[in-house]
mmCIF file of all heavy atoms in Angstrom:
data_model
loop_
_atom_site.group_PDB
_atom_site.id
_atom_site.type_symbol
_atom_site.label_atom_id
_atom_site.label_comp_id
_atom_site.label_asym_id
_atom_site.label_seq_id
_atom_site.Cartn_x
_atom_site.Cartn_y
_atom_site.Cartn_z
ATOM 1 N N ARG A 863 78.956 116.184 112.373
ATOM 2 C CA ARG A 863 80.289 116.733 112.667
ATOM 3 C C ARG A 863 81.334 115.656 112.393
ATOM 4 O O ARG A 863 81.295 114.591 113.000
ATOM 5 C CB ARG A 863 80.370 117.190 114.118
ATOM 6 C CG ARG A 863 81.689 117.850 114.500
ATOM 7 C CD ARG A 863 81.648 118.288 115.952
ATOM 8 N NE ARG A 863 80.601 119.269 116.180
ATOM 9 C CZ ARG A 863 80.752 120.587 115.991
ATOM 10 N NH1 ARG A 863 81.923 121.056 115.582
ATOM 11 N NH2 ARG A 863 79.752 121.401 116.229
ATOM 12 N N GLY A 864 82.256 115.933 111.431
ATOM 13 C CA GLY A 864 83.284 114.962 111.102
ATOM 14 C C GLY A 864 83.740 115.113 109.666
ATOM 15 O O GLY A 864 83.523 116.151 109.024
ATOM 16 N N ALA A 865 84.383 114.067 109.144
ATOM 17 C CA ALA A 865 84.951 114.110 107.795
ATOM 18 C C ALA A 865 84.462 112.909 106.998
ATOM 19 O O ALA A 865 84.386 111.796 107.512
ATOM 20 C CB ALA A 865 86.479 114.124 107.847
ATOM 21 N N ILE A 866 84.128 113.169 105.720
ATOM 22 C CA ILE A 866 83.721 112.125 104.789
ATOM 23 C C ILE A 866 84.731 112.108 103.640
ATOM 24 O O ILE A 866 85.030 113.158 103.055
ATOM 25 C CB ILE A 866 82.301 112.380 104.236
ATOM 26 C CG1 ILE A 866 81.282 112.420 105.378
ATOM 27 C CG2 ILE A 866 81.913 111.306 103.230
ATOM 28 C CD1 ILE A 866 79.885 112.814 104.929
ATOM 29 N N LYS A 867 85.224 110.924 103.318
ATOM 30 C CA LYS A 867 86.192 110.794 102.227
ATOM 31 C C LYS A 867 85.591 109.918 101.142
ATOM 32 O O LYS A 867 85.142 108.807 101.392
ATOM 33 C CB LYS A 867 87.493 110.180 102.732
ATOM 34 C CG LYS A 867 88.588 110.127 101.660
ATOM 35 C CD LYS A 867 89.908 109.630 102.228
ATOM 36 C CE LYS A 867 91.005 109.636 101.159
ATOM 37 N NZ LYS A 867 92.298 109.174 101.686
ATOM 38 N N ILE A 868 85.570 110.456 99.907
ATOM 39 C CA ILE A 868 85.021 109.752 98.749
ATOM 40 C C ILE A 868 86.170 109.478 97.779
ATOM 41 O O ILE A 868 86.863 110.407 97.342
ATOM 42 C CB ILE A 868 83.925 110.589 98.068
ATOM 43 C CG1 ILE A 868 82.816 110.929 99.075
ATOM 44 C CG2 ILE A 868 83.348 109.855 96.865
ATOM 45 C CD1 ILE A 868 81.790 111.907 98.544
ATOM 46 N N VAL A 869 86.370 108.205 97.454
ATOM 47 C CA VAL A 869 87.483 107.809 96.575
ATOM 48 C C VAL A 869 86.911 106.988 95.426
ATOM 49 O O VAL A 869 86.125 106.053 95.646
ATOM 50 C CB VAL A 869 88.542 106.989 97.344
ATOM 51 C CG1 VAL A 869 89.659 106.561 96.404
ATOM 52 C CG2 VAL A 869 89.094 107.790 98.515
ATOM 53 N N LEU A 870 87.324 107.340 94.197
ATOM 54 C CA LEU A 870 86.927 106.587 93.007
ATOM 55 C C LEU A 870 88.187 106.162 92.271
ATOM 56 O O LEU A 870 89.025 106.995 91.920
ATOM 57 C CB LEU A 870 86.043 107.442 92.085
ATOM 58 C CG LEU A 870 85.603 106.776 90.784
ATOM 59 C CD1 LEU A 870 84.657 105.604 91.086
ATOM 60 C CD2 LEU A 870 84.935 107.782 89.842
ATOM 61 N N ASP A 871 88.327 104.860 92.052
ATOM 62 C CA ASP A 871 89.468 104.371 91.279
ATOM 63 C C ASP A 871 89.012 103.198 90.421
ATOM 64 O O ASP A 871 87.858 102.766 90.486
ATOM 65 C CB ASP A 871 90.645 103.985 92.191
ATOM 66 C CG ASP A 871 90.240 103.002 93.275
ATOM 67 O OD1 ASP A 871 89.087 102.523 93.239
ATOM 68 O OD2 ASP A 871 91.051 102.695 94.163
ATOM 69 N N LEU A 872 89.954 102.690 89.606
ATOM 70 C CA LEU A 872 89.651 101.617 88.658
ATOM 71 C C LEU A 872 90.444 100.384 89.044
ATOM 72 O O LEU A 872 91.646 100.463 89.323
ATOM 73 C CB LEU A 872 90.012 102.064 87.235
ATOM 74 C CG LEU A 872 89.346 101.334 86.074
ATOM 75 C CD1 LEU A 872 87.846 101.541 86.110
ATOM 76 C CD2 LEU A 872 89.912 101.829 84.742
ATOM 77 N N VAL A 873 89.766 99.232 89.071
ATOM 78 C CA VAL A 873 90.421 97.972 89.426
ATOM 79 C C VAL A 873 90.231 96.985 88.283
ATOM 80 O O VAL A 873 89.436 97.212 87.359
ATOM 81 C CB VAL A 873 89.855 97.396 90.743
ATOM 82 C CG1 VAL A 873 90.189 98.292 91.922
ATOM 83 C CG2 VAL A 873 88.354 97.188 90.639
ATOM 84 N N GLY A 874 90.954 95.871 88.372
ATOM 85 C CA GLY A 874 90.975 94.936 87.255
ATOM 86 C C GLY A 874 89.713 94.119 87.091
ATOM 87 O O GLY A 874 89.428 93.611 86.001
ATOM 88 N N GLY A 875 88.902 93.955 88.138
ATOM 89 C CA GLY A 875 87.707 93.130 88.036
ATOM 90 C C GLY A 875 86.897 93.201 89.310
ATOM 91 O O GLY A 875 87.181 94.016 90.201
ATOM 92 N N PRO A 876 85.873 92.382 89.414
ATOM 93 C CA PRO A 876 85.016 92.410 90.604
ATOM 94 C C PRO A 876 85.759 91.868 91.815
ATOM 95 O O PRO A 876 86.781 91.183 91.688
ATOM 96 C CB PRO A 876 83.846 91.511 90.219
ATOM 97 C CG PRO A 876 84.426 90.558 89.224
ATOM 98 C CD PRO A 876 85.454 91.340 88.451
ATOM 99 N N PRO A 877 85.258 92.152 93.028
ATOM 100 C CA PRO A 877 85.898 91.609 94.235
ATOM 101 C C PRO A 877 85.742 90.098 94.298
ATOM 102 O O PRO A 877 84.902 89.499 93.631
ATOM 103 C CB PRO A 877 85.140 92.305 95.373
ATOM 104 C CG PRO A 877 83.804 92.633 94.797
ATOM 105 C CD PRO A 877 84.064 92.967 93.349
ATOM 106 N N ALA A 878 86.561 89.458 95.142
ATOM 107 C CA ALA A 878 86.537 87.995 95.247
ATOM 108 C C ALA A 878 85.199 87.487 95.774
ATOM 109 O O ALA A 878 84.768 86.380 95.448
ATOM 110 C CB ALA A 878 87.675 87.524 96.159
ATOM 111 N N SER A 879 84.523 88.317 96.585
ATOM 112 C CA SER A 879 83.248 87.892 97.175
ATOM 113 C C SER A 879 82.082 88.044 96.216
ATOM 114 O O SER A 879 80.959 87.653 96.539
ATOM 115 C CB SER A 879 82.958 88.715 98.441
ATOM 116 O OG SER A 879 82.890 90.102 98.130
ATOM 117 N N PHE A 880 82.325 88.595 95.031
ATOM 118 C CA PHE A 880 81.235 88.857 94.099
ATOM 119 C C PHE A 880 80.750 87.557 93.474
ATOM 120 O O PHE A 880 81.533 86.707 93.067
ATOM 121 C CB PHE A 880 81.713 89.823 93.002
ATOM 122 C CG PHE A 880 80.615 90.266 92.059
ATOM 123 C CD1 PHE A 880 79.564 91.027 92.531
ATOM 124 C CD2 PHE A 880 80.641 89.920 90.724
ATOM 125 C CE1 PHE A 880 78.562 91.451 91.675
ATOM 126 C CE2 PHE A 880 79.649 90.332 89.863
ATOM 127 C CZ PHE A 880 78.608 91.106 90.337
ATOM 128 N N GLY A 881 79.419 87.418 93.373
ATOM 129 C CA GLY A 881 78.841 86.210 92.800
ATOM 130 C C GLY A 881 78.825 86.258 91.288
ATOM 131 O O GLY A 881 79.520 87.041 90.646
ATOM 132 N N GLN A 882 78.020 85.412 90.700
ATOM 133 C CA GLN A 882 77.926 85.316 89.248
ATOM 134 C C GLN A 882 77.170 86.525 88.699
ATOM 135 O O GLN A 882 76.034 86.778 89.057
ATOM 136 C CB GLN A 882 77.194 84.028 88.848
ATOM 137 C CG GLN A 882 77.157 83.784 87.359
ATOM 138 C CD GLN A 882 78.536 83.485 86.781
ATOM 139 O OE1 GLN A 882 79.436 83.080 87.511
ATOM 140 N NE2 GLN A 882 78.701 83.727 85.499
ATOM 141 N N PRO A 883 77.769 87.341 87.796
ATOM 142 C CA PRO A 883 77.076 88.485 87.233
ATOM 143 C C PRO A 883 76.013 88.040 86.245
ATOM 144 O O PRO A 883 75.964 86.900 85.811
ATOM 145 C CB PRO A 883 78.191 89.275 86.538
ATOM 146 C CG PRO A 883 79.210 88.242 86.192
ATOM 147 C CD PRO A 883 79.142 87.214 87.274
ATOM 148 N N THR A 884 75.155 89.022 85.869
ATOM 149 C CA THR A 884 74.076 88.715 84.929
ATOM 150 C C THR A 884 74.626 88.314 83.569
ATOM 151 O O THR A 884 74.149 87.397 82.921
ATOM 152 C CB THR A 884 73.161 89.942 84.797
ATOM 153 O OG1 THR A 884 72.673 90.300 86.072
ATOM 154 C CG2 THR A 884 71.981 89.637 83.883
ATOM 155 N N THR A 885 75.650 89.000 83.110
ATOM 156 C CA THR A 885 76.295 88.675 81.830
ATOM 157 C C THR A 885 77.736 88.292 82.096
ATOM 158 O O THR A 885 78.442 88.977 82.838
ATOM 159 C CB THR A 885 76.223 89.870 80.870
ATOM 160 O OG1 THR A 885 76.787 91.024 81.498
ATOM 161 C CG2 THR A 885 74.772 90.179 80.513
ATOM 162 N N GLU A 886 78.181 87.235 81.450
ATOM 163 C CA GLU A 886 79.510 86.691 81.736
ATOM 164 C C GLU A 886 80.614 87.650 81.335
ATOM 165 O O GLU A 886 81.657 87.736 81.983
ATOM 166 C CB GLU A 886 79.666 85.357 81.002
ATOM 167 C CG GLU A 886 80.915 84.577 81.407
ATOM 168 C CD GLU A 886 80.888 84.157 82.857
ATOM 169 O OE1 GLU A 886 79.784 83.920 83.387
ATOM 170 O OE2 GLU A 886 81.952 84.090 83.487
ATOM 171 N N CYS A 887 80.362 88.445 80.240
ATOM 172 C CA CYS A 887 81.440 89.311 79.758
ATOM 173 C C CYS A 887 81.736 90.452 80.713
ATOM 174 O O CYS A 887 82.786 91.084 80.629
ATOM 175 C CB CYS A 887 81.084 89.865 78.379
ATOM 176 S SG CYS A 887 79.561 90.844 78.388
ATOM 177 N N VAL A 888 80.801 90.745 81.646
ATOM 178 C CA VAL A 888 81.024 91.821 82.602
ATOM 179 C C VAL A 888 82.226 91.528 83.486
ATOM 180 O O VAL A 888 82.983 92.414 83.859
ATOM 181 C CB VAL A 888 79.747 92.037 83.447
ATOM 182 C CG1 VAL A 888 80.025 92.944 84.620
ATOM 183 C CG2 VAL A 888 78.651 92.615 82.579
ATOM 184 N N ARG A 889 82.474 90.248 83.775
ATOM 185 C CA ARG A 889 83.565 89.885 84.684
ATOM 186 C C ARG A 889 84.932 90.233 84.100
ATOM 187 O O ARG A 889 85.874 90.520 84.850
ATOM 188 C CB ARG A 889 83.467 88.393 85.004
ATOM 189 C CG ARG A 889 84.507 87.887 85.975
ATOM 190 C CD ARG A 889 84.318 86.423 86.278
ATOM 191 N NE ARG A 889 83.093 86.177 87.023
ATOM 192 C CZ ARG A 889 83.008 86.295 88.348
ATOM 193 N NH1 ARG A 889 84.070 86.659 89.051
ATOM 194 N NH2 ARG A 889 81.884 86.049 88.964
ATOM 195 N N ASP A 890 85.043 90.222 82.798
ATOM 196 C CA ASP A 890 86.352 90.437 82.169
ATOM 197 C C ASP A 890 86.682 91.906 81.955
ATOM 198 O O ASP A 890 87.759 92.233 81.456
ATOM 199 C CB ASP A 890 86.387 89.710 80.815
ATOM 200 C CG ASP A 890 86.148 88.210 80.969
ATOM 201 O OD1 ASP A 890 86.558 87.684 82.021
ATOM 202 O OD2 ASP A 890 85.541 87.605 80.065
ATOM 203 N N ARG A 891 85.790 92.820 82.278
ATOM 204 C CA ARG A 891 86.031 94.246 82.068
ATOM 205 C C ARG A 891 86.641 94.877 83.309
ATOM 206 O O ARG A 891 86.545 94.332 84.411
ATOM 207 C CB ARG A 891 84.710 94.959 81.747
ATOM 208 C CG ARG A 891 84.046 94.487 80.467
ATOM 209 C CD ARG A 891 82.719 95.187 80.318
ATOM 210 N NE ARG A 891 81.974 94.685 79.171
ATOM 211 C CZ ARG A 891 80.724 95.002 78.908
ATOM 212 N NH1 ARG A 891 80.068 95.805 79.724
ATOM 213 N NH2 ARG A 891 80.123 94.516 77.838
ATOM 214 N N PRO A 892 87.223 96.076 83.157
ATOM 215 C CA PRO A 892 87.641 96.837 84.348
ATOM 216 C C PRO A 892 86.412 97.250 85.161
ATOM 217 O O PRO A 892 85.324 97.426 84.618
ATOM 218 C CB PRO A 892 88.367 98.050 83.766
ATOM 219 C CG PRO A 892 88.715 97.664 82.369
ATOM 220 C CD PRO A 892 87.646 96.723 81.900
ATOM 221 N N TRP A 893 86.613 97.405 86.431
ATOM 222 C CA TRP A 893 85.525 97.792 87.335
ATOM 223 C C TRP A 893 85.901 99.063 88.083
ATOM 224 O O TRP A 893 87.061 99.284 88.449
ATOM 225 C CB TRP A 893 85.249 96.690 88.357
ATOM 226 C CG TRP A 893 84.488 95.509 87.798
ATOM 227 C CD1 TRP A 893 84.813 94.766 86.703
ATOM 228 C CD2 TRP A 893 83.288 94.955 88.322
ATOM 229 N NE1 TRP A 893 83.912 93.767 86.494
ATOM 230 C CE2 TRP A 893 82.933 93.860 87.490
ATOM 231 C CE3 TRP A 893 82.466 95.252 89.398
ATOM 232 C CZ2 TRP A 893 81.816 93.079 87.705
ATOM 233 C CZ3 TRP A 893 81.356 94.480 89.630
ATOM 234 C CH2 TRP A 893 81.025 93.403 88.783
ATOM 235 N N PHE A 894 84.907 99.934 88.267
ATOM 236 C CA PHE A 894 85.100 101.081 89.150
ATOM 237 C C PHE A 894 84.922 100.638 90.602
ATOM 238 O O PHE A 894 84.073 99.797 90.912
ATOM 239 C CB PHE A 894 84.070 102.184 88.850
ATOM 240 C CG PHE A 894 84.393 103.001 87.633
ATOM 241 C CD1 PHE A 894 83.641 102.880 86.476
ATOM 242 C CD2 PHE A 894 85.455 103.887 87.647
ATOM 243 C CE1 PHE A 894 83.926 103.628 85.356
ATOM 244 C CE2 PHE A 894 85.750 104.645 86.528
ATOM 245 C CZ PHE A 894 84.990 104.512 85.375
ATOM 246 N N ARG A 895 85.727 101.239 91.464
ATOM 247 C CA ARG A 895 85.581 101.018 92.906
ATOM 248 C C ARG A 895 85.358 102.370 93.573
ATOM 249 O O ARG A 895 86.222 103.244 93.537
ATOM 250 C CB ARG A 895 86.811 100.333 93.491
ATOM 251 C CG ARG A 895 86.681 100.063 95.006
ATOM 252 C CD ARG A 895 87.854 99.252 95.517
ATOM 253 N NE ARG A 895 89.117 99.972 95.330
ATOM 254 C CZ ARG A 895 90.326 99.431 95.477
ATOM 255 N NH1 ARG A 895 90.430 98.149 95.799
ATOM 256 N NH2 ARG A 895 91.408 100.149 95.278
ATOM 257 N N LEU A 896 84.174 102.534 94.134
ATOM 258 C CA LEU A 896 83.794 103.777 94.814
ATOM 259 C C LEU A 896 83.685 103.491 96.314
ATOM 260 O O LEU A 896 82.942 102.597 96.727
ATOM 261 C CB LEU A 896 82.447 104.279 94.287
ATOM 262 C CG LEU A 896 81.803 105.441 95.045
ATOM 263 C CD1 LEU A 896 82.643 106.707 94.936
ATOM 264 C CD2 LEU A 896 80.380 105.696 94.534
#
């Protein structure tokens, strides 16, 4: 019983807390935020 809100948007890059990705070029792309 309650409400669930699902939001999908596009951000400029990974969050500040994100570590080193597997491929370096991934960091320079836009990222989805769900």
Side-chain angles (χ1 to χ4, degrees):
R863 183 179 298 274
I866 300 174
K867 185 175 182 179
I868 303 172
V869 178
L870 178 66
D871 54 7
L872 201 63
V873 294
S879 59
F880 186 65
Q882 185 67 21
T884 303
T885 55
E886 190 64 31
C887 60
V888 169
R889 182 178 293 276
D890 301 328
R891 297 176 185 171
W893 284 54
F894 282 109
R895 181 174 62 192
L896 171 65

